[in-house]
């Protein structure tokens, strides 16, 4: 039986939530050139995949963090997934904005959060880890204890691993870059030359030149 990371990789590729095209790179918002693009919001349009992701994230919370009080989603990509996981577990849900609202209560965290509560953060995608850990910082400033983070997919950049280590945040993902590349190679969707290009990109994505 296929393991989970391969199953998720296969499904993300099938619905084109992940696109890989080393010969025609994407340009990220950061300006980086990239042979891969991941948009896990697409999973919300596919009930079977949406449900699988919800069930597996909830299973990980149960197995790893039975002391959890609250599920937090990171805006905007993980609000829906986080809410579904909280619903599956019967837990309260909040979400963390990228910046405070500029009107009303000017909230950075939306929902009812109490100091001392133990929080598991849900993310859709981990790239450099910056925005994800900014959410962790906001939750900690609010007096909560972040006991872990779960995400659908990670590129596995060394810089992200270092940031999570420094922030003392345990990260677990359903799938990853290696699983995507291996699935494509096994199914002859990419060749050895393209595989080498894709592996080279991840070593130093900010400096990579197609």
């Amino acid at each position: 039986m296929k393991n989970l990371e391969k199953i998720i990789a296969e499904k993300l590729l099938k619905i084109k939530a992940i696109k890989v095209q080393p010969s025609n790179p994407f340009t990220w918002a950061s300006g980086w050139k990239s042979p891969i693009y991941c948009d896990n919001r697409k999973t919300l349009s596919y009930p079977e995949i949406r449900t699988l992701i919800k069930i597996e994230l909830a299973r990980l919370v149960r197995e790893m963090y039975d002391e959890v009080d609250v599920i937090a989603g990171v805006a905007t990509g993980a609000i829906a997934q986080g809410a579904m996981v909280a619903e599956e577990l019967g837990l309260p849900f909040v979400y963390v904005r990228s910046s405070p609202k500029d009107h009303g209560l000017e909230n950075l965290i939306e929902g009812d959060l109490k100091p001392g509560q133990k929080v598991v953060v849900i993310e859709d995608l981990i790239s450099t880890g910056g925005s994800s850990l900014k959410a962790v910082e906001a939750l900690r400033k609010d007096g909560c204890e972040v006991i872990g983070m779960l995400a659908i997919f990670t590129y596995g950049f060394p810089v992200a691993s270092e940031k999570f280590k420094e922030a003392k945040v345990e990260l677990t993902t359903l799938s990853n870059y290696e699983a995507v590349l291996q699935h494509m190679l096994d199914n002859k969707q990419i060749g050895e030359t393209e595989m080498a290009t894709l592996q080279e990109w991840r070593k130093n994505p900010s400096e990579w030149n197609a």
Side-chain angles (χ1 to χ4, degrees):
M1 183 177 173
K2 298 178 184 176
N3 64 28
L4 181 62
E5 65 183 28
K6 289 180 180 176
I7 291 169
I8 298 293
E10 179 181 1
K11 291 187 181 298
L12 294 177
L13 285 163
K14 184 177 180 181
I15 64 170
K16 294 183 170 57
I18 291 179
K19 294 182 179 179
V20 179
Q21 45 188 61
S23 60
N24 184 25
F26 302 94
T27 302
W28 285 6
S30 62
W32 290 5
K33 295 294 183 184
S34 168
I36 182 171
Y37 189 78
C38 179
D39 179 9
N40 287 323
R41 292 174 180 86
K42 288 194 77 169
T43 63
L44 298 172
S45 298
Y46 295 84
E48 179 190 341
I49 299 173
R50 183 180 70 209
T51 301
L52 173 64
I53 288 169
K54 174 191 71 173
I55 288 170
E56 290 301 332
L57 288 172
R59 177 184 61 80
L60 287 172
V61 175
R62 287 192 189 99
E63 289 178 359
M64 300 175 69
Y65 306 111
D66 61 354
E67 73 273 38
V68 62
D69 298 311
V70 180
I71 299 295
V74 181
T76 60
I79 292 177
Q81 279 93 354
M84 288 189 294
V85 170
E87 178 69 17
E88 179 75 10
L89 296 169
L91 289 171
F93 174 72
V94 301
Y95 70 86
V96 187
R97 294 174 172 274
S98 57
S99 58
K101 278 198 301 189
D102 58 5
H103 61 280
L105 297 176
E106 300 182 351
N107 292 337
L108 180 59
I109 299 170
E110 299 287 4
D112 193 5
L113 197 61
K114 299 176 179 65
Q117 288 186 311
K118 292 180 169 62
V119 182
V120 171
V121 180
I122 303 294
E123 257 289 22
D124 67 323
L125 172 68
I126 305 294
S127 53
T128 63
S131 58
S132 307
L133 291 172
K134 188 177 174 184
V136 170
E137 183 183 351
L139 291 161
R140 286 173 171 170
K141 280 185 177 178
D142 228 38
C144 293
E145 181 184 351
V146 175
I147 56 176
M149 182 181 295
L150 305 177
I152 299 171
F153 181 79
T154 179
Y155 291 108
F157 294 141
V159 64
S161 300
E162 281 301 311
K163 285 181 182 177
F164 275 89
K165 186 177 178 181
E166 287 170 14
K168 295 181 170 59
V169 177
E170 182 179 42
L171 172 67
T172 306
T173 63
L174 297 185
S175 193
N176 53 61
Y177 191 65
E178 290 90 347
V180 166
L181 297 195
Q182 194 59 54
H183 174 80
M184 295 188 77
L185 189 64
D186 291 346
N187 290 273
K188 298 182 171 53
Q189 293 169 305
I190 55 171
E192 293 289 351
T193 302
E194 289 174 309
M195 181 75 158
T197 299
L198 288 158
Q199 289 174 329
E200 189 63 30
W201 166 78
R202 198 186 50 179
K203 291 177 186 175
N204 194 3
S206 63
E207 301 299 323
W208 185 75
N209 191 326

